Amino acid sequence: NFCLGAGRRRPCSLQRSRGPPPPPAMVAFRSVAALLAPGMACAQQAGKVVAEVSPRMPLQTCTHARGCETVPAAVTLDANWRWVHNKDGYDNCFSKDGWSPRFCPDGRTCAETCAIEGVDEEGYRTVYGVKAIETGVELEFVAQSGNVGSRVYVTDGEDSYHMF
């Protein structure tokens, strides 16, 4: 199975249905079944070549009653922009020709074989054109590397996305 996103095909093991959402009882059943089914889960491997150092930024939340408060936040780069390579080496799992049949004959094998790499501060700035500034982040349309554009998400600076 392949999921489509950002103009690329990427392997995935589950596809979202287009029908109405399942009833709560079915969601609970599926959750329990997933926990009890050993060996059925697969997930993308985290790379070990470059440690993730997300650009930090201040984020203000404002209410009429309390005014504005600054909370810590950061941005993280979309997975479609990151280096995906075999977890035990440096060979690309994805290239201009698509997914490598050697590492990604199917979604499960790809998730088990490939790792998605982190991005450090220099990589964010020079490769992707994303840099922290005093009041937030600055995004260059064309980075020093020649990459065009970037897609980032706001996080709490740790491990959760910030929902607006």
Side-chain angles (χ1 to χ4, degrees):
N1 291 336
F2 285 87
C3 292
L4 297 176
R8 288 192 195 172
R9 289 173 45 133
R10 62 181 191 272
C12 67
S13 58
L14 300 173
Q15 298 248 356
R16 176 178 266 167
S17 69
R18 299 198 187 279
M26 182 57 79
V27 173
F29 172 79
R30 288 179 183 166
S31 298
V32 170
L35 290 173
L36 297 176
M40 289 188 62
C42 68
Q44 184 67 56
Q45 305 294 312
K48 298 176 183 166
V49 178
V50 179
E52 178 70 22
V53 181
S54 297
R56 303 278 179 177
M57 61 178 256
L59 182 65
Q60 288 192 329
T61 58
C62 303
T63 64
H64 183 66
R66 295 188 345 212
C68 294
E69 298 174 333
T70 300
V71 296
V75 294
T76 189
L77 191 65
D78 186 291
N80 272 349
W81 292 88
R82 294 172 181 265
W83 178 34
V84 182
H85 61 90
N86 67 310
K87 68 179 182 176
D88 297 320
Y90 299 94
D91 294 323
N92 290 330
C93 289
F94 188 88
S95 70
K96 64 180 173 117
D97 297 323
W99 290 101
S100 165
R102 178 176 162 203
F103 300 118
C104 298
D106 57 71
R108 179 175 297 281
T109 304
C110 192
E112 292 170 352
T113 308
C114 296
I116 189 165
E117 206 53 62
V119 180
D120 59 17
E121 185 178 359
E122 181 181 355
Y124 270 102
R125 186 174 33 77
T126 61
V127 178
Y128 301 105
V130 179
K131 71 177 183 177
I133 59 174
E134 185 178 331
T135 56
V137 292
E138 181 178 279
L139 305 176
E140 295 177 345
F141 183 68
V142 179
Q144 293 173 18
S145 66
N147 279 344
V148 177
S150 59
R151 181 172 41 235
V152 295
Y153 300 97
V154 178
T155 69
D156 65 1
E158 298 300 323
D159 59 5
S160 296
Y161 290 103
H162 184 82
M163 302 304 288
F164 292 95

